[in-house]
Amino acid sequence: GQVAQIAALTQGSQWLHCGEALMRLPVYRRAVEAVDALFSRLAGWSLLQRSREMNEQELMQTQYAQPVTFMVQVALLELLKSL
């Protein structure tokens, strides 16, 4: 059988622009954009846009850290599934 190891990102493990370099990969980018579309409808603001504009201090605030971390986790999982 195949074995996989997955590390979960939790609040505090995020860093400014984490995952940004992976946006060049279509699978990762589509997943980020899908999470952002859903989040935008629910929250009324773009998580993707905000994550690109925020500073370190803002990223440590729960209202930003939790959704950014979730967005990166979903995109990483989709990327792993595509391999």
Side-chain angles (χ1 to χ4, degrees), residues 2 17 58 66 72-73:
Q2 295 180 339
H17 308 294
E58 291 171 317
Q66 291 294 320
V72 170
Q73 286 177 325

Side-chain angles (χ1 to χ4, degrees), residues 29-78:
R29 185 180 62 252
R30 281 192 303 270
V32 165
E33 290 169 348
V35 170
D36 182 54
L38 178 60
F39 185 87
S40 294
R41 284 195 307 271
L42 296 172
W45 52 276
S46 170
L47 179 57
L48 181 56
Q49 180 181 345
R50 187 71 188 105
S51 69
R52 289 177 170 161
E53 296 170 351
M54 69 179 66
N55 61 41
E56 278 291 330
Q57 185 178 7
E58 291 171 317
L59 184 58
M60 295 303 135
Q61 296 173 18
T62 301
Q63 71 266 26
Y64 301 124
Q66 291 294 320
V68 166
T69 300
F70 175 77
M71 181 173 66
V72 170
Q73 286 177 325
V74 168
L76 285 173
L77 180 58
E78 290 301 313

Side-chain angles (χ1 to χ4, degrees), residues 2-10 13 69-70 72-83:
Q2 295 180 339
V3 177
Q5 181 178 4
I6 298 177
L9 300 174
T10 59
S13 65
T69 300
F70 175 77
V72 170
Q73 286 177 325
V74 168
L76 285 173
L77 180 58
E78 290 301 313
L79 182 59
L80 287 172
K81 285 171 32 179
S82 74
L83 300 178

